[in-house]
Amino acid sequence: MKLSSALLFAISAVTAKGFAPIATVPTSRTSSLKGTASPTVEKESFQRSLLAAQLANKKTNGKKAEDAPPVNIGWDSHKPVDKAPDSLVRPGDGPDGNYPMRARFEQMIREAQISITDAIEKIDGKAKFQEDSWIRANGGGGMSRVLKDGAVFEKAGVNLSVVYGSMPQEALQAATERGVDRAKGMAPGERVPFFACGLSCVMHPRNPHCPTMHFNYRYFETDGGVWWFGGGTDITPAYLNEDDMRHFHGTYKEVCDRHDPEFYPKFKAWADKYFVISHRNETRGLGGIFFDDLNDREPEKLFEFAKDAVNSVVPAYGPIIEAHKDDPFTEQQKQWQLMRRGRYVEFNLVYDRGTVFGLKTGGRIESILMSLPETARWEYDHHPEPGSPEADIMDAFKHAREW
């Protein structure tokens, strides 16, 4: 069956109002994915932390929920504007911290948003990105650029956001690996003021031989000057082309090696582990790089790494699309692409930290759900034919490979 964007919105809205689903798979379950470290256990722990955060919303230090200060930024707190201000970062807003880095990171991702969308428009040759801007009264805002009904891309979006807010300590697990460690020194039950600034993107091409691509680069601070960088770029093909994967991964290995030779093997393995769909025991795609909680050296060095990585999106992805955008394909291959998009939806609505964090903190719904494809398909108990191209890439989804 196909699932429209409107229906996906309804499903995710229900998810946002209720408790996050808790996996029923025993925590002793192991994965056949090589190089991973118990992704099922890690995902279950993450989901339990979300449940704890929601329970904290119900009752805080003995207060009734209605008496406690709001955790969410507010679903109706986003005011549309014709043009975003020159900067969404203001010195007096949010927790105490590194204001110059906040401003520099926002400026860097604004420039990246423009350069990436310009390049994608040239590749598509037909459609243009539509920009929506908004602000919030308590500070921050964002800009969404979305392309749809293109010659090459069915849907593509690049979203920038600056967020000021507060959350239960348990909710930090939805934003970072180490979660509550980021609330060190705060009283039990005390909400954590935070600042977040990031650029995220998903691109869904029409041709089954053109892979979907996602990236997210972000800078995060909590009260008291605690900070970290996170992000990564990953690729999700429906069909395996090893030359394409060597180009994509090779580009990001070069990026990583320019900053630390240990980055690529570490962040590649992290991506293989993070993008596991635990209930399917397979990965969403064929990885890339992923990192979180990065604050092990001077912020300036990590800023330069994030800048280099986001500015390498087009060199890593653009040539692959140019090479395959006009490839012939069959209806059967299109149906397989739609089934793999169904897996993409499953991961994003159940496991993706950015999606869940946005829903739990009152983010802008249209921007949060921009990552979902316009069309997807679920077929009951489908198994690809042995020896087929579909079976080949399924093996790569179940057993992480080195490119």
Side-chain angles (χ1 to χ4, degrees):
M1 69 174 180
K2 292 186 178 180
L3 200 62
S4 69
S5 296
L7 182 55
L8 289 171
F9 174 88
I11 292 172
S12 57
V14 171
T15 304
K17 293 177 182 177
F19 287 133
I22 303 299
T24 57
V25 184
T27 56
S28 59
R29 174 185 170 189
T30 58
S31 170
S32 64
L33 290 156
K34 298 178 181 178
T36 65
S38 303
T40 299
V41 175
E42 200 167 279
K43 298 263 167 87
E44 289 174 352
S45 176
F46 165 51
Q47 291 170 325
R48 284 194 294 270
S49 73
L50 288 175
L51 178 58
Q54 291 168 320
L55 292 174
N57 286 349
K58 297 287 184 182
K59 186 174 182 181
T60 303
N61 291 337
K63 298 180 181 179
K64 295 180 180 179
E66 58 267 25
D67 297 331
V71 175
N72 284 353
I73 297 163
W75 302 106
D76 58 352
S77 65
H78 311 88
K79 178 184 177 182
V81 293
D82 292 334
K83 185 179 184 299
D86 291 340
S87 177
L88 293 163
V89 175
R90 300 186 305 203
D93 291 335
D96 292 336
N98 188 343
Y99 166 72
M101 180 54 71
R102 298 179 190 179
R104 288 184 63 206
F105 195 85
E106 184 206 7
Q107 182 60 36
M108 183 270 285
I109 61 175
R110 279 194 179 213
E111 294 171 359
Q113 185 185 41
I114 293 170
S115 65
I116 291 169
T117 53
D118 285 351
I120 295 303
E121 283 182 351
K122 291 177 182 176
I123 292 174
D124 189 86
K126 173 189 173 186
K128 300 292 184 183
F129 281 89
Q130 171 190 335
E131 181 172 294
D132 295 324
S133 300
W134 69 95
I135 57 173
R136 296 187 182 95
N138 67 329
M143 294 171 285
S144 288
R145 288 190 168 195
V146 177
L147 177 153
K148 58 183 180 180
D149 196 27
V152 175
F153 293 95
E154 180 179 288
K155 183 181 180 184
V158 187
N159 289 345
L160 184 152
S161 63
V162 173
V163 184
Y164 297 90
S166 66
M167 57 187 153
Q169 296 172 27
E170 295 88 347
L172 278 171
Q173 184 66 38
T176 178
E177 280 285 298
R178 287 172 283 185
V180 294
D181 291 346
R182 296 307 193 191
K184 185 177 181 181
M186 302 194 73
E190 185 178 358
R191 291 190 170 92
V192 184
F194 72 91
F195 165 86
C197 179
L199 186 69
S200 60
C201 166
V202 176
M203 298 188 180
H204 294 291
R206 293 186 179 279
N207 194 305
H209 300 292
C210 290
T212 288
M213 184 275 299
H214 159 263
F215 73 78
N216 177 288
Y217 291 93
R218 58 193 177 272
Y219 176 68
F220 213 104
E221 290 185 11
T222 58
D223 201 22
V226 179
W227 58 271
W228 65 95
F229 291 82
T233 307
D234 62 279
I235 196 161
T236 304
Y239 288 93
L240 178 59
N241 183 303
E242 294 190 358
D243 288 338
D244 292 343
M245 294 305 99
R246 279 191 285 268
H247 169 78
F248 182 83
H249 282 268
T251 300
Y252 273 98
K253 183 180 186 304
E254 291 175 1
V255 171
C256 290
D257 288 350
R258 286 195 287 269
H259 300 269
D260 188 328
E262 294 184 1
F263 274 179
Y264 178 74
K266 178 180 178 181
F267 297 161
K268 192 268 184 189
W270 206 338
D272 290 339
K273 181 175 68 172
Y274 174 74
F275 290 106
V276 171
I277 308 170
S278 296
H279 61 271
R280 298 281 189 181
N281 196 32
E282 65 191 52
T283 56
R284 184 178 77 176
L286 296 183
I289 62 169
F290 176 84
F291 59 93
D292 204 354
D293 284 326
L294 203 58
N295 67 349
D296 62 347
R297 61 202 74 192
E298 295 87 348
E300 179 64 31
K301 291 183 178 180
L302 297 177
F303 171 84
E304 291 299 330
F305 169 61
K307 180 179 179 180
D308 196 1
V310 74
N311 287 329
S312 296
V313 166
V314 173
Y317 183 60
I320 297 173
I321 301 302
E322 293 278 20
H324 299 292
K325 63 183 182 180
D326 297 318
D327 284 2
F329 59 88
T330 66
E331 178 60 23
Q332 183 269 334
Q333 289 171 329
K334 184 65 180 180
Q335 293 304 306
W336 172 252
Q337 179 198 42
L338 295 179
M339 279 190 277
R340 293 312 305 174
R341 285 184 179 175
R343 298 293 204 267
Y344 203 93
V345 170
E346 290 177 28
F347 179 87
N348 280 31
L349 293 183
V350 178
Y351 301 117
D352 183 71
R353 285 183 187 149
T355 302
V356 175
F357 181 75
L359 292 172
K360 300 305 178 187
T361 57
R364 184 175 183 263
I365 284 291
E366 291 302 321
S367 298
I368 296 168
L369 300 184
M370 175 275 297
S371 65
L372 301 180
E374 290 192 351
T375 55
R377 186 168 185 264
W378 283 262
E379 182 174 320
Y380 180 73
D381 198 27
H382 179 271
H383 299 280
E385 289 292 328
S388 67
E390 293 81 9
D392 185 26
I393 198 165
M394 278 302 302
D395 180 76
F397 293 146
K398 289 182 176 292
H399 305 93
R401 301 182 185 182
E402 297 301 323
W403 307 104

